[in-house]
Amino acid sequence: MKAFRITTPDKDIAAALQLVELDTPAPGPGQVQVRVRAASLNFRDLIVAKGGYPRNDAYPTVPLSDAAGEVSGVGEGVTQWEVGDRVSPNFLPGWTSGAVSEDNLGGALGGGIDGVLAERIVVPASGLVSIPGHLSFEQAATLPCAALTAWNALTCSPSSPGQTVLLLGTGGVSVFGLQLAQLFGLRTIVTSSSDEKLAQAKSLGADHTINYATHPEWQDEVKKLTDGRGADRVLEVGGDGTLERSLASTAVGGTIALIGLLSGGEPPSILPVLLNAQRIQGIYVGSAALFADMNRAIEHARLEPVIDKIFDFADAPAAYNHLKSQKHLGKVVIRI
């Protein structure tokens, strides 16, 4: 089978990708072979390609964690899946339900173990979920990491309709956060430095938008939009570079879902967390059971992921470069 593999990380991210011929993996006991139809990229994949991912930085590796396809073979003892079933692998195939463990964290697709940028993959049967029936393979391939991360961030603590969620930027997690927040009846505020992207966020249902280029003290704008109260929940994807402002944007008793490290900077004081009884919750994708819950909600609501651009399999390096350019809104997908 054909697959892309990273043998040596490279600052020239696209140059790190090599199209290779590999033996087609056969499913063993308790395993399922999946014919991959589409895969999607996340910011994490850029880090893996250039080297330096803080966990699961193993080479050589087949990259990418997010895919959708159809079952093409089952191993001994597998009864829950049949050939032809439409499925996606969980980001951490070993994390089936409940709380995450250290053992699970070492087996992330496309880093700790081979990922999905290949014509066939083999996954534990318990690490697969059914994809929503109304979605194409390309649409479903966007769900395993960004969508599930947003779902976990929105459900990690209770919320009530009418509460406010602050979404930083218009990357994959934030756009899914915008879409999913509407299922919970939450009021949304989206930030970006691009008026064009903010207009697109409005068209997707954002209640309010803030251009942080023209409003560098954007935490003040959040307070104005919430009558001085602040957001009940923040999906914090920036890290050190934005966390201080996110803390200042959060209401007393609110939750900061700490997701990403997209920007640099010095760690802020956590005194506001104490003084305002705030909660910082680290979010690392989610279990297969949580993934299945989310997919049922997506199917019921007929929610459709936002795809920026679809690339052919042979053009995978171009897909990486497109993601790196940060010109996208929504997901970058590779059709296999």
Side-chain angles (χ1 to χ4, degrees), residues 6-7 9 48 53 55-62 106 110-114:
I6 298 170
T7 300
V48 170
Y53 191 67
R55 181 186 278 127
N56 303 320
D57 204 12
Y59 304 95
T61 188
V62 175
I113 61 176
D114 278 342

Side-chain angles (χ1 to χ4, degrees), residues 1 3 7 16 35 79 124 128 142 156 159 203 219 260 286 291 293 305 314 325:
M1 69 170 188
T7 300
R35 178 189 178 191
T79 58
L128 291 172
T142 68
C156 65
S159 62
S203 72
Q219 73 277 7
F291 192 1
D293 288 343
S325 74

Side-chain angles (χ1 to χ4, degrees), residues 71-94:
V71 172
S72 52
V74 296
E76 181 182 352
V78 175
T79 58
Q80 65 267 54
W81 302 110
E82 297 180 353
V83 171
D85 287 345
R86 290 165 25 102
V87 295
S88 280
N90 197 38
F91 179 90
L92 294 166

Side-chain angles (χ1 to χ4, degrees), residues 29-34 65-69 71 78-81 86-97 104 107-109 113-114 116 121-131 143-145 148 285-292 295:
Q31 295 182 326
V32 173
Q33 183 193 71
V34 178
S65 59
D66 292 17
V71 172
V78 175
T79 58
Q80 65 267 54
W81 302 110
R86 290 165 25 102
V87 295
S88 280
N90 197 38
F91 179 90
L92 294 166
W95 184 11
T96 56
S97 63
N104 295 332
L109 292 169
I113 61 176
D114 278 342
V116 301
I121 60 173
V122 165
V123 183
S126 58
L128 291 172
V129 300
S130 295
I131 63 178
L143 301 177
C145 184
L148 185 56
V285 199
S287 68
L290 196 67
F291 192 1
N295 279 358

Side-chain angles (χ1 to χ4, degrees), residues 307-330:
I307 294 177
D308 181 84
K309 192 170 182 180
I310 298 174
F311 291 81
D312 290 333
F313 183 56
D315 294 331
Y320 273 76
N321 282 333
H322 184 63
L323 182 70
K324 182 182 176 182
S325 74
Q326 297 186 352
K327 296 178 181 179
H328 63 290
L329 187 144

Side-chain angles (χ1 to χ4, degrees), residues 108-242:
L109 292 169
I113 61 176
D114 278 342
V116 301
L117 194 53
E119 293 176 326
R120 295 284 195 283
I121 60 173
V122 165
V123 183
S126 58
L128 291 172
V129 300
S130 295
I131 63 178
H134 69 292
L135 297 184
S136 67
F137 288 117
E138 290 80 9
Q139 291 172 316
T142 68
L143 301 177
C145 184
L148 185 56
T149 297
W151 178 268
N152 194 355
L154 291 170
T155 59
C156 65
S157 61
S159 62
S160 301
Q163 289 185 334
T164 300
V165 57
L166 173 63
L167 304 155
L168 303 188
T170 53
V173 172
S174 295
V175 171
F176 272 119
L178 170 59
Q179 293 182 288
L180 294 170
Q182 294 172 68
L183 303 187
F184 295 99
L186 301 177
R187 184 182 180 214
T188 53
I189 302 174
V190 177
T191 71
S192 174
S193 61
S194 165
D195 285 334
E196 180 182 358
K197 289 184 177 181
L198 290 175
Q200 290 177 279
K202 272 283 193 180
S203 72
L204 291 171
D207 294 293
H208 301 284
T209 60
I210 301 170
N211 187 318
Y212 60 77
T214 56
H215 296 286
E217 302 298 324
W218 48 265
Q219 73 277 7
D220 297 336
E221 300 302 310
V222 174
K223 287 294 186 74
K224 289 177 186 177
L225 292 170
T226 55
D227 298 323
R229 184 173 184 276
D232 299 284
R233 190 179 306 261
V234 179
L235 270 60
E236 168 55 71
V237 299
D240 294 345
T242 56

